[in-house]
Amino acid sequence: MKRSHVCGELRRSDADREVTLTGWVSSQRDHGGLIFIDLRDRWGITQIVFDPEISKSVIETAKRLRMETVIVVRGKVVARPGKMVNKDLATGEIEVVVTELNVLNESKPVPLAVKDPCEAMDETRLKYRYLDLRRPSMQNNLILRHRTAQCVRSYFDNAGFIEVETPFLMKSTPEGARDYLVPSRIHKGKFYALPQSPQQYKQLLMVSGYDRYFQIVKCFRDEDLRADRQPEFTQIDVEMSFVDEDDVIGVMEKLMVRIFKDILNIELKIPFPRLNYAEALARYGNDRPDLRFDMPISDITELAGTTGFRVFQDTVLSQGRVRGLCLKKRGRMSRKQVDELTDYAKSFGAKGLVVIQVTDEGIQSPVSKFISDEEMQRILKPFDAQVNDIVFLVADSESVCCEALGNLRNYLARMFGMTDNVPFAPLWVLDFPLLEFDPEEKRFVAMHHPFTSPKPEDVSLMDQDPANVRARAYDLVLNGSEIAGGSIRIHRSDMQSKMFRLLGIDEETAARKFGFLIEALDYGAPPHGGIAFGFDRLVMMLAGESSIREVIAFPKTTSALSLMDGCPSEVDAGQLRDLGLKLIG
RNA sequence: GGAGCCGUAGUUCAACUUGGUUAGAGCGCCGGCCUGUCACGCCGGAGGCUGCGGGUUCGAGCCCCGUCGGCUCCGCCA
């Protein structure tokens, strides 16, 4: 018996049709006489009915059907009378009265209930992922992911891009994340690396003249995991020749518009707002601000330094900053809440959190005994603090101020549901520093990557003031999350060599590790630039999920294990021998 | 590498304040009843190395130490 329809398909107009359905038993309601079963496949649920007056043997089999048994049934579509219509089901206007039933495969009692909302623990879900993936919400997520990928491919195809596959076995390169290594059998003692991104390949494709490349591609980074980070993840990788920042940004904005329209029917307005890195940091405390709400940070160092409050004075003397933000119109906070927020700020290195509550009975603050009324008014002025507002101040180094207040800003927004009204707030962050100093390695490292071009007007600073050279880099930020990042690349070998020198990579090492790229730049490499888009994060947001595990079919746990297949695992001695490897310790 | 939360029946949870009878409940599973349910309902039953290992105690699911695993965060992630 082959199916004639799927379980989400039948409607009132199909009444009286003879149909054959296949699927999983999702619920059984045995009334002694009649038996109702919800038959489920990935297209939906159809109620099938077993009537003892139609067939004794069929109903005997139906009685014994357990959850998740796979069956095929033949029967007649019947329109349900008004009272019996189920408005929660797309197929709720009909049911199928079964005349024939075959069990295709039974199921043991399942270790996790196949139903939404999910009740199972993550551990159980991951161990029995194939059952977890039967849940309609997971199927919807993966279908949404598929549709998004199709949308991306169609968009780039129409825009004249071609998808080129690049190797998964490549050369390990220094800089950046830790590589996943693959030992070579033929060349014992040598290793391939899995790509952290196809960065060098796509630049080489530009040298080859494959202007307008894209690829939906797996990337691998051997770093610790997070809710939005897996060791293998998917990137929409893009590169274009003869372009500047605005060209890349324009292509990506139109892609975003297309995705949000096609997938969520949401109209995004372009161009997206742009912020430069320094502004983002000063105003929002980080380089990926959530603009679904405002609540900006203000610097009141000069005002605070002249008050009688010792902590402020000391901060100013030690070149620190006093910064704060104002929570509007939320009324008074309890001591407990204030303590909680203070602890939160402290977890980012702040020594304390000055809380000033403006109430209809006046200013309430533990520091009001150190600060005169007049000084207090001056401090509050930049925040335009009114009754029922609360000002939070941090006095510390600039980076701690940013870190603590940036996170506090997001924390307060979550606490008061300030993100609920605006679903999506995209923006570009531009003018990143080219380099940042790594105190551990005692050298400059590339903030984006070593192939990022400096801004032409800053090139002269590269030698005397590397820390202040800005990069031709851009990040796309959505709701406080970086979802894409890219740059205009260096396309001349002299500049690339200069960059490696700045990074403290000597000529020999550069030649050994990146020689092919530097050499390629000497053979007519066009100016080029591109971007890499975090596909999992994007789909996660489209799906309204808070972990990328929810949009990845078979994800790893936070310790990079796969609970289902038990990888990573030990290998046979013979496999190691073939590879010329020996385990130590 | 560090911090926090968590781990009890197939599964999801409970067992509190303060360590003290036989470790309970929903779902699932097994048996019975029920002809319009859609989380069907009703009656009965089986099912437990309380993650693992130590310790404290007359006595540990509960307290302590270690360990394994899950989640969140910091470091890390060009």
Side-chain angles (χ1 to χ4, degrees):
Chain A
M1 279 205 284
K2 282 205 173 160
R3 70 178 164 203
S4 61
H5 295 77
V6 294
C7 292
E9 197 175 356
L10 296 169
R11 296 293 181 271
R12 181 168 287 273
S13 56
D14 295 302
D16 296 331
R17 222 180 254 247
E18 282 289 325
V19 297
T20 305
L21 295 179
T22 52
W24 287 262
V25 173
S26 172
S27 157
Q28 197 215 34
R29 298 177 290 279
D30 183 346
H31 287 248
L34 287 175
I35 298 173
F36 299 93
I37 281 176
D38 288 344
L39 191 65
R40 186 198 70 238
D41 65 17
R42 83 169 167 87
W43 288 273
I45 283 177
T46 299
Q47 172 165 285
I48 58 179
V49 191
F50 296 86
D51 188 329
E53 284 164 25
I54 288 176
S55 165
K56 279 259 151 51
S57 69
V58 165
I59 206 148
E60 278 312 304
T61 315
K63 255 186 201 310
R64 293 198 306 271
L65 291 175
R66 292 189 305 192
M67 297 291 274
E68 299 305 318
T69 300
V70 188
I71 59 174
V72 52
V73 293
R74 183 173 291 164
K76 191 168 156 190
V77 180
V78 175
R80 300 200 209 177
K83 251 169 58 184
M84 278 145 38
V85 167
N86 184 346
K87 290 196 174 58
D88 298 331
L89 279 186
T91 59
E93 295 214 314
I94 55 94
E95 62 194 3
V96 173
V97 179
V98 177
T99 52
E100 214 175 318
L101 161 68
N102 274 320
V103 173
L104 298 177
N105 206 348
E106 294 191 334
S107 171
K108 295 202 285 189
V110 283
L112 83 91
V114 179
K115 67 174 189 184
D116 286 319
C118 178
E119 286 181 350
M121 291 195 301
D122 286 334
E123 212 169 335
T124 315
R125 293 180 58 200
L126 290 172
K127 179 160 184 199
Y128 298 96
R129 188 61 163 180
Y130 44 87
L131 295 179
D132 190 39
L133 290 177
R134 278 185 196 164
R135 288 169 39 233
S137 65
M138 288 307 288
Q139 299 200 332
N140 287 339
N141 283 356
L142 292 188
I143 291 164
L144 180 98
R145 184 180 175 116
H146 159 78
R147 286 173 51 218
T148 307
Q150 294 310 306
C151 174
V152 168
R153 289 210 161 89
S154 135
Y155 169 83
F156 279 116
D157 184 44
N158 285 328
F161 286 74
I162 56 166
E163 183 161 21
V164 180
E165 290 168 273
T166 50
F168 272 8
L169 297 177
M170 65 177 289
K171 189 182 174 75
S172 177
T173 53
E175 305 290 296
R178 195 176 295 114
D179 281 327
Y180 274 101
L181 295 177
V182 179
S184 164
R185 173 184 56 85
I186 298 174
H187 305 282
K188 295 196 173 40
K190 295 190 174 172
F191 295 83
Y192 303 96
L194 302 179
Q196 298 174 27
S197 90
Q199 181 63 35
Q200 284 110 292
Y201 290 115
K202 68 174 173 178
Q203 289 193 241
L204 293 167
L205 285 170
M206 293 305 104
V207 177
S208 307
Y210 291 82
D211 188 358
R212 299 210 150 202
Y213 142 95
F214 87 103
Q215 187 181 187
I216 298 179
V217 62
K218 273 287 181 75
C219 301
F220 306 85
R221 292 177 192 176
D222 188 3
E223 297 291 348
D224 288 346
L225 291 83
R226 287 287 189 284
D228 61 356
R229 255 164 45 193
Q230 284 271 309
E232 53 178 313
F233 60 99
T234 304
Q235 199 167 278
I236 307 170
D237 198 42
V238 178
E239 199 76 7
M240 304 159 71
S241 294
F242 308 107
V243 291
D244 61 19
E245 292 86 330
D246 289 331
D247 297 310
V248 179
I249 285 173
V251 164
M252 297 312 280
E253 284 182 341
K254 289 195 202 79
L255 170 66
M256 288 284 282
V257 167
R258 171 80 189 278
I259 291 171
F260 276 76
K261 179 64 190 167
D262 284 8
I263 306 296
L264 297 182
N265 199 26
I266 285 176
E267 316 263 357
L268 290 184
K269 282 201 184 66
I270 51 173
F272 299 154
R274 298 184 187 190
L275 266 181
N276 68 47
Y277 175 82
E279 284 170 344
L281 227 53
R283 196 172 163 83
Y284 302 107
N286 65 46
D287 59 7
R288 46 185 169 81
D290 190 340
L291 293 194
R292 284 176 294 178
F293 56 98
D294 196 25
M295 198 153 60
I297 294 166
S298 297
D299 192 304
I300 57 157
T301 310
E302 279 68 36
L303 297 168
T306 62
T307 66
F309 186 38
R310 187 65 184 278
V311 171
F312 288 171
Q313 294 169 2
D314 292 349
T315 303
V316 172
L317 282 176
S318 58
Q319 309 294 314
R321 310 302 302 177
V322 181
R323 288 182 183 174
L325 52 79
C326 181
L327 176 68
K328 298 282 184 193
K329 298 192 172 102
R330 301 289 166 171
R332 289 196 52 186
M333 251 184 204
S334 67
R335 175 68 191 269
K336 197 177 153 205
Q337 284 174 301
V338 168
D339 286 348
E340 184 190 318
L341 292 171
T342 305
D343 287 343
Y344 185 71
K346 282 180 179 171
S347 75
F348 298 96
K351 287 184 280 295
L353 185 67
V354 174
V355 180
I356 303 168
Q357 308 209 41
V358 185
T359 74
D360 43 17
E361 293 157 19
I363 303 289
Q364 296 200 346
S365 174
V367 299
S368 49
K369 50 181 171 288
F370 307 110
I371 297 176
S372 73
D373 290 352
E374 194 201 335
E375 287 168 344
M376 187 63 92
Q377 289 310 320
R378 282 217 305 276
I379 286 180
L380 293 180
K381 194 108 192 261
F383 300 102
D384 188 30
Q386 308 292 324
V387 170
N388 287 327
D389 292 355
I390 307 174
V391 170
F392 299 89
L393 299 175
V394 172
D396 220 302
S397 68
E398 179 162 11
S399 65
V400 169
C401 281
C402 284
E403 191 82 358
L405 287 167
N407 282 293
L408 185 68
R409 182 175 168 272
N410 291 332
Y411 192 84
L412 288 168
R414 257 201 316 278
M415 197 168 167
F416 291 100
M418 294 162 75
T419 57
D420 297 350
N421 297 327
V422 190
F424 297 101
L427 77 144
W428 292 98
V429 178
L430 302 164
D431 294 346
F432 283 81
L434 183 68
L435 306 162
E436 61 188 337
F437 192 76
D438 183 337
E440 240 170 68
E441 295 200 38
K442 295 197 174 69
R443 66 173 180 108
F444 281 101
V445 295
M447 189 147 182
H448 185 52
H449 58 54
F451 317 109
T452 300
S453 177
K455 294 191 78 136
E457 61 266 39
D458 290 355
V459 167
S460 59
L461 292 174
M462 284 179 83
D463 294 314
Q464 61 268 41
D465 189 10
N468 279 316
V469 177
R470 288 166 304 166
R472 297 182 72 180
Y474 30 83
D475 275 2
L476 178 57
V477 175
L478 183 60
N479 298 357
S481 193
E482 183 205 321
I483 58 166
S487 62
I488 301 301
R489 326 297 184 189
I490 296 169
H491 70 283
R492 293 173 60 110
S493 64
D494 52 351
M495 179 57 79
Q496 188 63 67
S497 301
K498 191 184 178 82
M499 182 69 176
F500 284 136
R501 273 201 305 281
L502 272 184
L503 296 174
I505 301 172
D506 61 63
E507 213 148 313
E508 192 214 341
T509 310
R512 189 158 36 86
K513 300 286 190 182
F514 302 105
F516 60 105
L517 182 63
I518 301 172
E519 195 176 8
L521 295 182
D522 277 330
Y523 292 105
H528 61 283
I531 194 162
F533 206 120
F535 187 65
D536 312 273
R537 284 186 195 176
L538 174 68
V539 176
M540 171 184 95
M541 287 192 208
L542 294 171
E545 296 286 359
S546 52
S547 166
I548 61 171
R549 285 188 303 272
E550 303 302 320
V551 296
I552 294 174
F554 300 105
K556 306 281 189 285
T557 68
T558 43
S559 67
L561 295 172
S562 169
L563 296 182
M564 192 183 65
D565 59 27
C567 81
S569 60
E570 288 161 357
V571 296
D572 296 339
Q575 288 177 284
L576 288 176
R577 212 163 37 239
D578 281 350
L579 295 166
L581 294 179
K582 199 168 165 183
L583 298 178
I584 56 166

